[in-house]
Amino acid sequence: MSTKGVLLQHVDNKPLREKILDTLREAIVSGDFKPGHPLLENDLAAQLGVSRAPLREAFQILASEGLVETIPYKGTIVRHLSRQDIEELYTLRCVLEQFAIRRVIAAGHIEDVATLRGIYEEMLAAAVQGNLKAVNEIDRHFHDTLIALSQHHLLTETWSTVTLRVRQVMALRNRRNSDLTQIAYNHVPIIEAVARGSESEAMDLIEKHVVTSLDLIVELWDDGAEASTEETAP
Amino acid sequence: MSTKGVLLQHVDNKPLREKILDTLREAIVSGDFKPGHPLLENDLAAQLGVSRAPLREAFQILASEGLVETIPYKGTIVRHLSRQDIEELYTLRCVLEQFAIRRVIAAGHIEDVATLRGIYEEMLAAAVQGNLKAVNEIDRHFHDTLIALSQHHLLTETWSTVTLRVRQVMALRNRRNSDLTQIAYNHVPIIEAVARGSESEAMDLIEKHVVTSLDLIVELWDDGAEASTEETAP
DNA sequence: CGTTTGTCTACTGTCGACAATTGACGTATA
DNA sequence: TATACGTCAATTGTCGACAGTAGACAAACG
């Protein structure tokens, strides 16, 4: 007989490398670990209370994601972010998002639009409350959802590594965007273009959306000292 | 005094994980290790004459590249390739290549076109000699070069993992394409579209180029048994 | 019988110890 | 004094041994 009705949480038996990975990834994309920051294996292992083996396995994954850089026999550091890196990040992001939208429009599921509208409502609510952090999270969620709706796993995977680094850039950015409701409003034309199925219009809007964010960041990006951790807005 | 004039090879002191990585990657994309093939750590370590630590580090990278799949406490296998996977591979590939071409055209360096023409000449030469393997390699080189000319590192990185898996698909494909010169000819209109700077035309050509290859493969792809290793053509 | 529980085994996960490499610093030598 | 050459400490790379897990199969139980 099985233990009916009683529902229990799964005990957490993820391998250490995955827990370590989550921890380090968060530290990097949140800007806690700044570009150039050395990741010493002994120190980190001691700090996290693990041995170096799973730590090193996590390093390989972080390196594949482009978050860190390992030079053999020298060490691993958080990757530097040049102006060019950021431009590449945003231009590729744009291409991926445009591709996703084309697929969403082509699929033509009306409920997709409803999903996006729902997220927009949340974002607007958070914006009028002046909750910057929430707006940021919901904005990320909006774009992640757009990608997910494309029903393209490979795209989704590629997207997730790109956005990780975009998050990092935003966390390191040295100025804060203020007009939260405007950020929310910006999403309306995109949703409506998808709703109407007007592909070329949606393409232009995404491009503008992304290029604007890029300009805001690159404008005053200091290639030498990528730093200053404040909450910033998309 | 330095040892003038005498030029010596660098001794190979790459970390083991990288050598292992190259070996395993080649085995997978060449179709030697077929989808579903289990990668047992003890066996492989013994076979390669290394310990499990660097082997496992290589596994993490292969997993990030989408070539293998690791299930915690169960094991690592070469990833299965469903029809949908292949479709996603080729559609994303198409998007990336289109993006690259847009950038090459926008940059407008005349020498880029010359580079591409040069590679085409090589391909044609190999084709008339009926050298299937060479045509395949040069075809890959053509597309890799196109990406490289875009001067977009992030795109280049993304591309390289996608094409790895495309190579794998071609290696596993169960029929051989015969008309080699036709394959070479197919590249002419693309080069000329780039030369004339006609973006929309180039976009269409790439799309057709890729969709055709995709159809040829998906047409008779057996989702159950991804197999039969023969040389195949693009 | 069918279900549960114990046991065994092949494998992955983790650890601590040791080897190899690097770069810095000091030292000899012309 | 400038160049080459030991030497050393810090760090990464590699290894072998042990711990933990999942799945299969057998034994106990109703």
Side-chain angles (χ1 to χ4, degrees):
Chain A
M1 184 199 303
S2 72
T3 62
K4 292 178 197 145
V6 188
L7 36 98
L8 296 170
Q9 293 293 320
H10 261 237
V11 302
D12 178 19
N13 65 340
K14 274 201 295 189
L16 273 184
R17 74 164 164 277
E18 296 191 15
K19 299 189 206 172
I20 297 171
L21 180 62
D22 289 343
T23 304
L24 293 183
R25 202 170 16 212
E26 190 53 34
I28 294 171
V29 301
S30 73
D32 257 6
F33 285 0
K34 304 209 186 326
H37 185 95
L39 281 70
L40 298 187
E41 297 180 1
N42 277 318
D43 289 5
L44 277 178
Q47 203 170 327
L48 298 173
V50 299
S51 78
R52 286 169 54 221
L55 186 62
R56 285 170 59 89
E57 290 177 7
F59 278 10
Q60 307 309 320
I61 301 175
L62 289 172
S64 301
E65 294 176 340
L67 292 174
V68 305
E69 191 173 6
T70 298
I71 299 170
Y73 303 107
K74 284 214 54 185
T76 299
I77 62 169
V78 178
R79 246 183 86 171
H80 288 284
L81 274 166
S82 69
R83 184 170 309 224
Q84 187 184 348
D85 287 330
I86 298 175
E87 277 170 14
E88 294 187 354
L89 229 27
Y90 276 77
T91 50
L92 184 59
R93 176 202 152 131
C94 179
V95 168
L96 297 179
E97 203 156 2
Q98 287 180 324
F99 179 44
I101 287 205
R102 281 208 303 276
R103 285 178 61 96
V104 171
I105 290 179
H109 297 141
I110 15 90
E111 64 269 29
D112 289 355
V113 178
T115 305
L116 294 175
R117 285 214 179 94
I119 300 174
Y120 163 70
E121 297 295 345
E122 287 180 55
M123 198 187 314
L124 188 57
V128 297
Q129 286 175 21
N131 188 340
L132 173 57
K133 194 176 165 198
V135 171
N136 270 333
E137 267 164 28
I138 299 172
D139 181 72
R140 276 209 305 276
H141 181 55
F142 179 88
H143 293 278
D144 288 352
T145 304
L146 199 47
I147 300 294
L149 291 176
S150 76
Q151 304 265 49
H152 195 298
H153 295 110
L154 181 56
L155 173 60
T156 307
E157 242 176 65
T158 309
W159 170 264
S160 65
T161 82
V162 170
T163 43
L164 269 184
R165 296 178 64 193
V166 169
R167 275 183 64 188
Q168 185 192 15
V169 170
M170 299 215 312
L172 293 169
R173 186 168 100 187
N174 35 20
R175 96 178 171 70
R176 50 172 60 212
N177 195 325
S178 37
D179 194 348
L180 293 186
T181 53
Q182 189 55 50
I183 292 166
Y185 291 152
N186 285 341
H187 293 76
V188 176
I190 296 174
I191 299 177
E192 296 313 316
V194 173
R196 285 198 313 281
S198 39
E199 187 176 296
S200 64
E201 204 171 332
M203 297 296 95
D204 287 353
L205 286 167
I206 289 291
E207 184 127 11
K208 222 164 284 173
H209 194 81
V210 173
V211 167
T212 306
S213 327
L214 172 58
D215 285 347
L216 278 175
I217 291 172
V218 153
E219 189 186 342
L220 36 100
W221 184 267
D222 183 355
D223 251 14
E226 316 100 329
S228 151
T229 308
E230 311 174 50
E231 289 281 345
T232 55
Chain B
M1 185 199 301
S2 72
T3 61
K4 290 178 198 145
V6 188
L7 37 99
L8 296 169
Q9 293 293 321
H10 259 243
V11 301
D12 178 20
N13 65 341
K14 273 201 298 188
L16 274 185
R17 75 165 163 275
E18 295 191 15
K19 299 189 205 170
I20 296 171
L21 181 61
D22 289 343
T23 304
L24 294 182
R25 199 165 25 207
E26 190 54 33
I28 295 171
V29 302
S30 73
D32 256 6
F33 284 1
K34 304 208 187 324
H37 186 95
L39 300 168
L40 299 187
E41 299 180 359
N42 276 317
D43 289 6
L44 277 178
Q47 203 169 325
L48 299 173
V50 299
S51 76
R52 287 169 53 218
L55 185 62
R56 286 170 59 89
E57 290 176 7
F59 278 9
Q60 307 309 320
I61 301 174
L62 290 172
S64 301
E65 294 175 339
L67 291 174
V68 305
E69 189 174 6
T70 298
I71 299 170
Y73 304 108
K74 282 214 56 184
T76 300
I77 62 170
V78 178
R79 246 182 87 171
H80 287 284
L81 274 168
S82 68
R83 184 172 307 224
Q84 187 183 347
D85 287 330
I86 298 175
E87 278 172 12
E88 294 186 354
L89 230 25
Y90 277 76
T91 50
L92 184 59
R93 177 202 151 134
C94 178
V95 167
L96 297 179
E97 203 155 3
Q98 288 179 324
F99 178 44
I101 287 205
R102 280 208 303 276
R103 285 178 61 98
V104 172
I105 290 179
H109 299 140
I110 16 88
E111 64 270 28
D112 289 353
V113 177
T115 305
L116 294 175
R117 284 215 180 93
I119 300 174
Y120 163 71
E121 298 294 345
E122 289 180 55
M123 200 189 312
L124 188 58
V128 298
Q129 286 175 21
N131 189 339
L132 173 57
K133 196 177 164 196
V135 171
N136 270 332
E137 267 165 27
I138 299 171
D139 181 73
R140 274 210 303 277
H141 181 55
F142 179 88
H143 293 278
D144 288 350
T145 304
L146 200 49
I147 299 294
L149 292 176
S150 75
Q151 304 265 49
H152 194 299
H153 295 110
L154 181 55
L155 173 60
T156 306
E157 243 176 65
T158 309
W159 170 264
S160 64
T161 83
V162 170
T163 45
L164 269 183
R165 297 177 63 191
V166 169
R167 277 184 63 188
Q168 185 191 14
V169 170
M170 299 214 315
L172 293 170
R173 187 168 101 185
N174 38 17
R175 95 179 175 65
R176 49 175 56 213
N177 194 326
S178 38
D179 193 350
L180 293 185
T181 53
Q182 188 56 48
I183 292 167
Y185 291 152
N186 285 340
H187 293 77
V188 176
I190 295 174
I191 300 176
E192 295 313 316
V194 174
R196 287 199 311 283
S198 37
E199 186 176 297
S200 63
E201 205 171 331
M203 296 297 97
D204 287 352
L205 286 168
I206 288 290
E207 183 126 12
K208 224 164 284 175
H209 194 81
V210 173
V211 167
T212 305
S213 329
L214 172 56
D215 285 347
L216 278 175
I217 291 171
V218 154
E219 189 186 339
L220 36 101
W221 183 268
D222 183 356
D223 251 14
E226 316 100 329
S228 151
T229 308
E230 311 172 48
E231 291 279 346
T232 55

